[in-house]
Amino acid sequence: MSRLRSSSMEIREKGSEFLKEELHKAQKELKLKDEECERLVKVREQLEQELEELTASLFEEAHKMVREANMKQAASEKQLKEAWGKIDMLQAEVTALKTLVITSTPASPNRELHPQLLSPTKAGPRKGHSRHKSTSNALCPVAACPPAGRTLTPDKEGKEVDTTLFTEFQTWRASPTLDKTCPFLERVYREDVGPCLDFTMQELSALVQSAVEDNTLTIEPVASQTLPTLKVASVERGSTNTCALSGLARTCRHLIRLGDSESHYYISPSSRARITAVCNFFTYIRYIQQGLVRQDAEPMFWEIMRLRKEMSLAKLGFFPQEP
């Protein structure tokens, strides 16, 4: 019996030692796994941080590229506008010169081109005498002389700042927004944008205004549309002889597309001019909101008044003839 007891005790002790060793091994492995988990968690956090930094850097670079592109576009549009102004001035000067040259013949010379032919009373004082004379008798420059039978028109029209409009504009300019409930834009919507985009087809007019506000409206020439499946078959969308906005029989040379829609709508030159005038206004105030217009308040104000004038004229039916 004593031998049995001693052997059972030895078995228990060996079993206990074996279990303790296994437990120690398991704890050691568990500790290693915990350390591995902590290392992987740190790696994941580091990767997430690097990913966030990379994403932020990419977004910042993209915004920088867009901002630079907008600034270049604004500068190009300004240069183009100045170039057209110079071209118009040169064309006016050439026209005036041609008129003067044509009206000067050997039998009937143009005395404005040949001042030596003027009579002594009109030729002014002789050399050596200097007197002030009325400017009504002074000869005008060749480029500024009007054709025979015409009178000179002033180059600049009279302008006077409306204090109420200017105050509303300055308030808006301090914190530019496209919210049409602000006093400045509310007035422009009420007096210009709304009437200019108020077409006979009210439902389509509302869609056009929304697309203009969202900057998702596209105008395309009819000649560039070569797809055989162009969705303009229904009468409601107009045809080359019917404007989809006014419903009137007009020759339509352009199409509009609203957003990502595949539907197109034929529009007349008058409707196109009205839409374009509103788009020009929104483009300019977006430039101001984005900080791309570097001018004092008054030149910006007069540019907005010019754009409002274009909307008013387009609404009244005035638009440039297409070639």
Short mmCIF file of all heavy atoms in Angstrom, two decimals, residues 49-110:
data_model
loop_
_atom_site.label_atom_id
_atom_site.label_comp_id
_atom_site.label_asym_id
_atom_site.label_seq_id
_atom_site.Cartn_x
_atom_site.Cartn_y
_atom_site.Cartn_z
N GLN A 49 -1.88 56.79 -41.16
CA GLN A 49 -1.43 58.17 -41.07
C GLN A 49 -0.75 58.62 -42.36
O GLN A 49 -0.99 59.73 -42.86
CB GLN A 49 -0.48 58.33 -39.88
CG GLN A 49 -0.02 59.77 -39.66
CD GLN A 49 0.89 59.89 -38.44
OE1 GLN A 49 1.16 58.89 -37.77
NE2 GLN A 49 1.35 61.09 -38.17
N GLU A 50 0.10 57.75 -42.91
CA GLU A 50 0.77 58.09 -44.16
C GLU A 50 -0.24 58.24 -45.30
O GLU A 50 -0.10 59.11 -46.16
CB GLU A 50 1.79 57.01 -44.51
CG GLU A 50 2.99 56.97 -43.57
CD GLU A 50 3.95 55.84 -43.91
OE1 GLU A 50 3.62 55.04 -44.80
OE2 GLU A 50 5.02 55.79 -43.29
N LEU A 51 -1.27 57.38 -45.30
CA LEU A 51 -2.30 57.46 -46.33
C LEU A 51 -3.07 58.77 -46.22
O LEU A 51 -3.36 59.42 -47.24
CB LEU A 51 -3.25 56.27 -46.21
CG LEU A 51 -4.38 56.21 -47.23
CD1 LEU A 51 -3.83 56.13 -48.65
CD2 LEU A 51 -5.29 55.02 -46.96
N GLU A 52 -3.41 59.17 -45.00
CA GLU A 52 -4.11 60.44 -44.81
C GLU A 52 -3.26 61.61 -45.26
O GLU A 52 -3.75 62.54 -45.91
CB GLU A 52 -4.50 60.61 -43.33
CG GLU A 52 -5.60 59.65 -42.87
CD GLU A 52 -5.89 59.80 -41.39
OE1 GLU A 52 -5.20 60.60 -40.73
OE2 GLU A 52 -6.82 59.13 -40.91
N GLU A 53 -1.98 61.59 -44.91
CA GLU A 53 -1.10 62.67 -45.32
C GLU A 53 -0.96 62.72 -46.85
O GLU A 53 -0.96 63.81 -47.44
CB GLU A 53 0.28 62.49 -44.69
CG GLU A 53 0.29 62.69 -43.17
CD GLU A 53 1.65 62.39 -42.55
OE1 GLU A 53 2.54 61.93 -43.28
OE2 GLU A 53 1.80 62.62 -41.34
N LEU A 54 -0.86 61.56 -47.48
CA LEU A 54 -0.76 61.51 -48.93
C LEU A 54 -2.03 62.02 -49.59
O LEU A 54 -1.98 62.78 -50.57
CB LEU A 54 -0.47 60.07 -49.38
CG LEU A 54 -0.36 59.84 -50.90
CD1 LEU A 54 0.77 60.68 -51.48
CD2 LEU A 54 -0.15 58.37 -51.20
N THR A 55 -3.19 61.62 -49.05
CA THR A 55 -4.47 62.08 -49.59
C THR A 55 -4.59 63.60 -49.46
O THR A 55 -5.01 64.28 -50.41
CB THR A 55 -5.63 61.40 -48.86
OG1 THR A 55 -5.49 59.98 -48.97
CG2 THR A 55 -6.96 61.83 -49.47
N ALA A 56 -4.24 64.13 -48.29
CA ALA A 56 -4.30 65.58 -48.09
C ALA A 56 -3.37 66.30 -49.05
O ALA A 56 -3.71 67.35 -49.62
CB ALA A 56 -3.95 65.92 -46.64
N SER A 57 -2.18 65.73 -49.25
CA SER A 57 -1.23 66.35 -50.17
C SER A 57 -1.75 66.35 -51.59
O SER A 57 -1.62 67.34 -52.32
CB SER A 57 0.11 65.59 -50.09
OG SER A 57 1.02 66.10 -51.03
N LEU A 58 -2.37 65.23 -51.99
CA LEU A 58 -2.93 65.16 -53.34
C LEU A 58 -4.06 66.15 -53.54
O LEU A 58 -4.14 66.82 -54.58
CB LEU A 58 -3.41 63.72 -53.63
CG LEU A 58 -2.32 62.66 -53.78
CD1 LEU A 58 -2.93 61.28 -53.92
CD2 LEU A 58 -1.45 62.97 -55.00
N PHE A 59 -4.96 66.25 -52.55
CA PHE A 59 -6.05 67.21 -52.65
C PHE A 59 -5.52 68.64 -52.71
O PHE A 59 -6.01 69.47 -53.49
CB PHE A 59 -7.01 67.06 -51.46
CG PHE A 59 -8.09 66.04 -51.69
CD1 PHE A 59 -8.09 64.82 -51.03
CD2 PHE A 59 -9.11 66.30 -52.59
CE1 PHE A 59 -9.07 63.88 -51.25
CE2 PHE A 59 -10.12 65.36 -52.80
CZ PHE A 59 -10.09 64.15 -52.14
N GLU A 60 -4.52 68.93 -51.89
CA GLU A 60 -3.95 70.28 -51.89
C GLU A 60 -3.31 70.59 -53.25
O GLU A 60 -3.48 71.69 -53.79
CB GLU A 60 -2.90 70.39 -50.78
CG GLU A 60 -2.31 71.78 -50.65
CD GLU A 60 -1.32 71.86 -49.50
OE1 GLU A 60 -1.17 70.86 -48.77
OE2 GLU A 60 -0.70 72.92 -49.34
N GLU A 61 -2.61 69.62 -53.82
CA GLU A 61 -2.00 69.82 -55.13
C GLU A 61 -3.05 70.00 -56.21
O GLU A 61 -2.89 70.83 -57.11
CB GLU A 61 -1.10 68.61 -55.45
CG GLU A 61 -0.26 68.78 -56.71
CD GLU A 61 0.79 69.84 -56.56
OE1 GLU A 61 1.17 70.16 -55.41
OE2 GLU A 61 1.26 70.36 -57.60
N ALA A 62 -4.13 69.21 -56.11
CA ALA A 62 -5.21 69.34 -57.10
C ALA A 62 -5.86 70.71 -57.02
O ALA A 62 -6.11 71.36 -58.05
CB ALA A 62 -6.25 68.23 -56.88
N HIS A 63 -6.15 71.17 -55.79
CA HIS A 63 -6.75 72.50 -55.62
C HIS A 63 -5.80 73.57 -56.15
O HIS A 63 -6.24 74.56 -56.76
CB HIS A 63 -7.06 72.76 -54.15
CG HIS A 63 -8.29 72.04 -53.68
ND1 HIS A 63 -9.53 72.23 -54.23
CD2 HIS A 63 -8.47 71.11 -52.69
CE1 HIS A 63 -10.41 71.46 -53.62
NE2 HIS A 63 -9.80 70.77 -52.69
N LYS A 64 -4.51 73.41 -55.92
CA LYS A 64 -3.53 74.38 -56.41
C LYS A 64 -3.53 74.43 -57.93
O LYS A 64 -3.50 75.51 -58.53
CB LYS A 64 -2.14 74.01 -55.88
CG LYS A 64 -1.05 74.98 -56.29
CD LYS A 64 0.29 74.55 -55.72
CE LYS A 64 1.41 75.51 -56.16
NZ LYS A 64 2.73 75.07 -55.63
N MET A 65 -3.60 73.25 -58.56
CA MET A 65 -3.62 73.21 -60.02
C MET A 65 -4.88 73.84 -60.58
O MET A 65 -4.84 74.58 -61.57
CB MET A 65 -3.50 71.75 -60.49
CG MET A 65 -2.16 71.10 -60.17
SD MET A 65 -2.11 69.33 -60.59
CE MET A 65 -2.37 69.40 -62.36
N VAL A 66 -6.03 73.57 -59.94
CA VAL A 66 -7.29 74.17 -60.39
C VAL A 66 -7.25 75.69 -60.23
O VAL A 66 -7.69 76.44 -61.11
CB VAL A 66 -8.47 73.57 -59.60
CG1 VAL A 66 -9.76 74.34 -59.90
CG2 VAL A 66 -8.66 72.11 -59.96
N ARG A 67 -6.72 76.14 -59.08
CA ARG A 67 -6.62 77.58 -58.83
C ARG A 67 -5.72 78.25 -59.87
O ARG A 67 -6.06 79.31 -60.41
CB ARG A 67 -6.10 77.80 -57.41
CG ARG A 67 -6.08 79.25 -56.99
CD ARG A 67 -5.96 79.36 -55.47
NE ARG A 67 -4.80 78.65 -54.99
CZ ARG A 67 -4.83 77.56 -54.23
NH1 ARG A 67 -5.99 77.03 -53.91
NH2 ARG A 67 -3.72 76.97 -53.81
N GLU A 68 -4.58 77.62 -60.17
CA GLU A 68 -3.68 78.19 -61.18
C GLU A 68 -4.32 78.19 -62.56
O GLU A 68 -4.17 79.16 -63.32
CB GLU A 68 -2.38 77.39 -61.21
CG GLU A 68 -1.52 77.56 -59.96
CD GLU A 68 -0.28 76.67 -59.99
OE1 GLU A 68 -0.17 75.83 -60.91
OE2 GLU A 68 0.57 76.84 -59.10
N ALA A 69 -5.06 77.12 -62.87
CA ALA A 69 -5.74 77.06 -64.17
C ALA A 69 -6.80 78.16 -64.29
O ALA A 69 -6.94 78.80 -65.34
CB ALA A 69 -6.38 75.68 -64.37
N ASN A 70 -7.54 78.39 -63.19
CA ASN A 70 -8.56 79.44 -63.21
C ASN A 70 -7.93 80.82 -63.38
O ASN A 70 -8.45 81.67 -64.10
CB ASN A 70 -9.38 79.40 -61.92
CG ASN A 70 -10.31 78.20 -61.87
OD1 ASN A 70 -10.69 77.65 -62.90
ND2 ASN A 70 -10.67 77.77 -60.67
N MET A 71 -6.81 81.03 -62.71
CA MET A 71 -6.12 82.32 -62.83
C MET A 71 -5.59 82.53 -64.25
O MET A 71 -5.70 83.62 -64.82
CB MET A 71 -4.97 82.40 -61.81
CG MET A 71 -5.42 82.42 -60.36
SD MET A 71 -4.05 82.45 -59.18
CE MET A 71 -3.36 84.07 -59.54
N LYS A 72 -5.03 81.47 -64.85
CA LYS A 72 -4.56 81.57 -66.22
C LYS A 72 -5.71 81.82 -67.18
O LYS A 72 -5.58 82.61 -68.13
CB LYS A 72 -3.81 80.30 -66.61
CG LYS A 72 -2.47 80.12 -65.92
CD LYS A 72 -1.79 78.83 -66.36
CE LYS A 72 -0.45 78.65 -65.67
NZ LYS A 72 0.22 77.38 -66.07
N GLN A 73 -6.84 81.16 -66.93
CA GLN A 73 -8.00 81.37 -67.79
C GLN A 73 -8.50 82.81 -67.69
O GLN A 73 -8.83 83.44 -68.70
CB GLN A 73 -9.12 80.40 -67.40
CG GLN A 73 -10.37 80.54 -68.27
CD GLN A 73 -11.47 79.58 -67.85
OE1 GLN A 73 -11.30 78.80 -66.93
NE2 GLN A 73 -12.60 79.65 -68.50
N ALA A 74 -8.55 83.33 -66.45
CA ALA A 74 -9.00 84.72 -66.27
C ALA A 74 -8.05 85.69 -66.96
O ALA A 74 -8.48 86.66 -67.60
CB ALA A 74 -9.10 85.03 -64.77
N ALA A 75 -6.73 85.44 -66.83
CA ALA A 75 -5.76 86.31 -67.49
C ALA A 75 -5.89 86.23 -69.01
O ALA A 75 -5.82 87.26 -69.70
CB ALA A 75 -4.35 85.92 -67.05
N SER A 76 -6.11 85.03 -69.54
CA SER A 76 -6.26 84.87 -70.98
C SER A 76 -7.52 85.58 -71.48
O SER A 76 -7.50 86.24 -72.53
CB SER A 76 -6.33 83.38 -71.35
OG SER A 76 -5.14 82.71 -70.96
N GLU A 77 -8.61 85.45 -70.74
CA GLU A 77 -9.85 86.13 -71.13
C GLU A 77 -9.67 87.64 -71.10
O GLU A 77 -10.19 88.36 -71.97
CB GLU A 77 -10.98 85.70 -70.21
CG GLU A 77 -11.41 84.26 -70.41
CD GLU A 77 -12.49 83.84 -69.43
OE1 GLU A 77 -12.79 84.63 -68.51
OE2 GLU A 77 -13.03 82.74 -69.59
N LYS A 78 -8.93 88.14 -70.09
CA LYS A 78 -8.68 89.59 -70.02
C LYS A 78 -7.85 90.06 -71.20
O LYS A 78 -8.14 91.09 -71.82
CB LYS A 78 -7.99 89.91 -68.70
CG LYS A 78 -7.72 91.40 -68.51
CD LYS A 78 -7.03 91.66 -67.19
CE LYS A 78 -6.72 93.15 -67.01
NZ LYS A 78 -6.02 93.41 -65.74
N GLN A 79 -6.79 89.29 -71.53
CA GLN A 79 -5.95 89.65 -72.67
C GLN A 79 -6.74 89.60 -73.97
O GLN A 79 -6.57 90.46 -74.85
CB GLN A 79 -4.75 88.71 -72.74
CG GLN A 79 -3.76 88.88 -71.60
CD GLN A 79 -2.63 87.85 -71.66
OE1 GLN A 79 -2.64 86.97 -72.51
NE2 GLN A 79 -1.68 87.96 -70.75
N LEU A 80 -7.62 88.59 -74.10
CA LEU A 80 -8.44 88.48 -75.30
C LEU A 80 -9.37 89.67 -75.43
O LEU A 80 -9.54 90.24 -76.51
CB LEU A 80 -9.24 87.17 -75.27
CG LEU A 80 -10.19 86.93 -76.46
CD1 LEU A 80 -9.40 86.86 -77.77
CD2 LEU A 80 -10.99 85.65 -76.24
N LYS A 81 -9.96 90.08 -74.30
CA LYS A 81 -10.87 91.22 -74.31
C LYS A 81 -10.13 92.49 -74.70
O LYS A 81 -10.63 93.31 -75.49
CB LYS A 81 -11.51 91.37 -72.93
CG LYS A 81 -12.57 92.45 -72.85
CD LYS A 81 -13.19 92.47 -71.47
CE LYS A 81 -14.24 93.57 -71.36
NZ LYS A 81 -14.84 93.62 -70.00
N GLU A 82 -8.93 92.68 -74.13
CA GLU A 82 -8.13 93.85 -74.48
C GLU A 82 -7.73 93.83 -75.96
O GLU A 82 -7.73 94.87 -76.63
CB GLU A 82 -6.89 93.91 -73.60
CG GLU A 82 -7.20 94.20 -72.13
CD GLU A 82 -5.96 94.11 -71.26
OE1 GLU A 82 -4.89 93.70 -71.76
OE2 GLU A 82 -6.05 94.46 -70.08
N ALA A 83 -7.39 92.64 -76.46
CA ALA A 83 -7.00 92.52 -77.87
C ALA A 83 -8.16 92.88 -78.79
O ALA A 83 -7.99 93.59 -79.79
CB ALA A 83 -6.51 91.10 -78.17
N TRP A 84 -9.37 92.40 -78.45
CA TRP A 84 -10.54 92.74 -79.27
C TRP A 84 -10.81 94.24 -79.23
O TRP A 84 -11.21 94.85 -80.24
CB TRP A 84 -11.77 91.98 -78.78
CG TRP A 84 -11.86 90.59 -79.31
CD1 TRP A 84 -11.76 89.42 -78.60
CD2 TRP A 84 -12.04 90.18 -80.67
NE1 TRP A 84 -11.85 88.33 -79.42
CE2 TRP A 84 -12.04 88.77 -80.71
CE3 TRP A 84 -12.18 90.88 -81.85
CZ2 TRP A 84 -12.19 88.05 -81.88
CZ3 TRP A 84 -12.34 90.15 -83.04
CH2 TRP A 84 -12.34 88.76 -83.03
N GLY A 85 -10.60 94.86 -78.05
CA GLY A 85 -10.78 96.30 -77.96
C GLY A 85 -9.80 97.05 -78.86
O GLY A 85 -10.17 98.02 -79.54
N LYS A 86 -8.54 96.60 -78.87
CA LYS A 86 -7.55 97.24 -79.73
C LYS A 86 -7.89 97.03 -81.21
O LYS A 86 -7.71 97.94 -82.03
CB LYS A 86 -6.17 96.67 -79.42
CG LYS A 86 -5.64 97.07 -78.05
CD LYS A 86 -4.27 96.45 -77.79
CE LYS A 86 -3.74 96.84 -76.41
NZ LYS A 86 -2.43 96.21 -76.12
N ILE A 87 -8.36 95.83 -81.54
CA ILE A 87 -8.74 95.56 -82.93
C ILE A 87 -9.88 96.48 -83.37
O ILE A 87 -9.86 97.05 -84.47
CB ILE A 87 -9.12 94.08 -83.10
CG1 ILE A 87 -7.88 93.20 -82.95
CG2 ILE A 87 -9.79 93.84 -84.45
CD1 ILE A 87 -8.20 91.72 -82.93
N ASP A 88 -10.89 96.63 -82.50
CA ASP A 88 -12.01 97.52 -82.84
C ASP A 88 -11.53 98.95 -83.04
O ASP A 88 -11.99 99.66 -83.95
CB ASP A 88 -13.06 97.46 -81.73
CG ASP A 88 -13.75 96.10 -81.66
OD1 ASP A 88 -13.73 95.38 -82.66
OD2 ASP A 88 -14.32 95.79 -80.59
N MET A 89 -10.62 99.41 -82.18
CA MET A 89 -10.10 100.77 -82.30
C MET A 89 -9.34 100.95 -83.61
O MET A 89 -9.51 101.94 -84.32
CB MET A 89 -9.20 101.09 -81.11
CG MET A 89 -8.62 102.50 -81.12
SD MET A 89 -7.55 102.80 -79.70
CE MET A 89 -6.21 101.66 -80.10
N LEU A 90 -8.48 99.97 -83.95
CA LEU A 90 -7.72 100.05 -85.20
C LEU A 90 -8.65 100.00 -86.41
O LEU A 90 -8.42 100.71 -87.40
CB LEU A 90 -6.71 98.91 -85.26
CG LEU A 90 -5.55 99.00 -84.26
CD1 LEU A 90 -4.71 97.72 -84.32
CD2 LEU A 90 -4.67 100.20 -84.55
N GLN A 91 -9.68 99.17 -86.35
CA GLN A 91 -10.62 99.11 -87.47
C GLN A 91 -11.34 100.43 -87.66
O GLN A 91 -11.57 100.88 -88.79
CB GLN A 91 -11.63 97.98 -87.23
CG GLN A 91 -11.06 96.58 -87.41
CD GLN A 91 -12.06 95.49 -87.11
OE1 GLN A 91 -13.10 95.75 -86.47
NE2 GLN A 91 -11.77 94.28 -87.56
N ALA A 92 -11.69 101.09 -86.53
CA ALA A 92 -12.35 102.41 -86.63
C ALA A 92 -11.41 103.43 -87.25
O ALA A 92 -11.81 104.25 -88.09
CB ALA A 92 -12.81 102.86 -85.25
N GLU A 93 -10.14 103.39 -86.86
CA GLU A 93 -9.17 104.33 -87.42
C GLU A 93 -8.96 104.08 -88.91
O GLU A 93 -8.89 105.02 -89.71
CB GLU A 93 -7.84 104.20 -86.67
CG GLU A 93 -7.91 104.70 -85.24
CD GLU A 93 -6.58 104.53 -84.52
OE1 GLU A 93 -5.64 103.98 -85.13
OE2 GLU A 93 -6.51 104.95 -83.37
N VAL A 94 -8.86 102.80 -89.31
CA VAL A 94 -8.70 102.47 -90.73
C VAL A 94 -9.90 102.93 -91.53
O VAL A 94 -9.77 103.49 -92.64
CB VAL A 94 -8.46 100.96 -90.89
CG1 VAL A 94 -8.53 100.56 -92.36
CG2 VAL A 94 -7.12 100.56 -90.31
N THR A 95 -11.10 102.74 -90.98
CA THR A 95 -12.32 103.18 -91.68
C THR A 95 -12.33 104.68 -91.87
O THR A 95 -12.67 105.19 -92.95
CB THR A 95 -13.56 102.74 -90.88
OG1 THR A 95 -13.55 101.33 -90.72
CG2 THR A 95 -14.84 103.15 -91.61
N ALA A 96 -11.93 105.42 -90.83
CA ALA A 96 -11.90 106.88 -90.94
C ALA A 96 -10.87 107.32 -91.98
O ALA A 96 -11.11 108.23 -92.78
CB ALA A 96 -11.57 107.48 -89.58
N LEU A 97 -9.70 106.67 -91.99
CA LEU A 97 -8.67 107.01 -92.97
C LEU A 97 -9.14 106.73 -94.39
O LEU A 97 -8.93 107.53 -95.31
CB LEU A 97 -7.39 106.22 -92.67
CG LEU A 97 -6.52 106.74 -91.53
CD1 LEU A 97 -5.42 105.74 -91.21
CD2 LEU A 97 -5.89 108.07 -91.92
N LYS A 98 -9.78 105.55 -94.59
CA LYS A 98 -10.28 105.22 -95.92
C LYS A 98 -11.30 106.24 -96.39
O LYS A 98 -11.30 106.66 -97.55
CB LYS A 98 -10.91 103.83 -95.90
CG LYS A 98 -9.90 102.69 -95.83
CD LYS A 98 -10.60 101.34 -95.86
CE LYS A 98 -9.60 100.19 -95.83
NZ LYS A 98 -10.31 98.87 -95.83
N THR A 99 -12.16 106.67 -95.48
CA THR A 99 -13.19 107.66 -95.85
C THR A 99 -12.55 108.96 -96.29
O THR A 99 -12.95 109.56 -97.29
CB THR A 99 -14.13 107.90 -94.67
OG1 THR A 99 -14.70 106.66 -94.26
CG2 THR A 99 -15.24 108.86 -95.05
N LEU A 100 -11.54 109.41 -95.54
CA LEU A 100 -10.88 110.67 -95.90
C LEU A 100 -10.13 110.56 -97.22
O LEU A 100 -10.14 111.48 -98.03
CB LEU A 100 -9.92 111.06 -94.78
CG LEU A 100 -10.59 111.53 -93.47
CD1 LEU A 100 -9.53 111.75 -92.40
CD2 LEU A 100 -11.38 112.81 -93.70
N VAL A 101 -9.46 109.41 -97.44
CA VAL A 101 -8.72 109.23 -98.68
C VAL A 101 -9.65 109.16 -99.88
O VAL A 101 -9.40 109.75 -100.93
CB VAL A 101 -7.83 107.97 -98.59
CG1 VAL A 101 -7.22 107.65 -99.95
CG2 VAL A 101 -6.74 108.18 -97.56
N ILE A 102 -10.76 108.46 -99.72
CA ILE A 102 -11.71 108.31 -100.83
C ILE A 102 -12.32 109.65 -101.22
O ILE A 102 -12.55 109.94 -102.39
CB ILE A 102 -12.81 107.30 -100.45
CG1 ILE A 102 -12.20 105.90 -100.38
CG2 ILE A 102 -13.95 107.31 -101.46
CD1 ILE A 102 -13.15 104.84 -99.85
N THR A 103 -12.59 110.49 -100.24
CA THR A 103 -13.23 111.78 -100.53
C THR A 103 -12.24 112.82 -101.03
O THR A 103 -12.62 113.95 -101.32
CB THR A 103 -13.91 112.33 -99.26
OG1 THR A 103 -12.94 112.43 -98.21
CG2 THR A 103 -15.03 111.41 -98.82
N SER A 104 -10.94 112.50 -101.13
CA SER A 104 -9.93 113.44 -101.61
C SER A 104 -9.54 113.06 -103.04
O SER A 104 -8.96 112.01 -103.28
CB SER A 104 -8.69 113.41 -100.70
OG SER A 104 -7.71 114.30 -101.17
N THR A 105 -9.86 113.95 -104.01
CA THR A 105 -9.52 113.74 -105.42
C THR A 105 -8.79 114.97 -105.94
O THR A 105 -8.88 116.05 -105.36
CB THR A 105 -10.79 113.50 -106.25
OG1 THR A 105 -11.62 114.65 -106.16
CG2 THR A 105 -11.57 112.28 -105.73
N PRO A 106 -8.07 114.88 -107.06
CA PRO A 106 -7.39 116.06 -107.61
C PRO A 106 -8.35 117.20 -107.91
O PRO A 106 -8.03 118.36 -107.73
CB PRO A 106 -6.73 115.52 -108.89
CG PRO A 106 -6.54 114.06 -108.62
CD PRO A 106 -7.71 113.65 -107.79
N ALA A 107 -9.54 116.85 -108.38
CA ALA A 107 -10.50 117.91 -108.71
C ALA A 107 -11.11 118.52 -107.46
O ALA A 107 -11.42 119.71 -107.43
CB ALA A 107 -11.60 117.35 -109.61
N SER A 108 -11.28 117.69 -106.43
CA SER A 108 -11.88 118.18 -105.18
C SER A 108 -11.11 117.62 -104.01
O SER A 108 -11.53 116.65 -103.38
CB SER A 108 -13.36 117.77 -105.12
OG SER A 108 -13.94 118.21 -103.89
N PRO A 109 -9.93 118.20 -103.71
CA PRO A 109 -9.11 117.66 -102.63
C PRO A 109 -9.76 117.86 -101.27
O PRO A 109 -10.48 118.83 -101.05
CB PRO A 109 -7.80 118.46 -102.75
CG PRO A 109 -8.21 119.74 -103.39
CD PRO A 109 -9.33 119.40 -104.34
N ASN A 110 -9.50 116.92 -100.37
CA ASN A 110 -10.00 117.01 -99.00
C ASN A 110 -9.10 117.97 -98.23
O ASN A 110 -7.92 117.70 -98.01
CB ASN A 110 -10.00 115.62 -98.35
CG ASN A 110 -10.76 115.61 -97.04
OD1 ASN A 110 -10.62 116.52 -96.24
ND2 ASN A 110 -11.53 114.55 -96.84
#
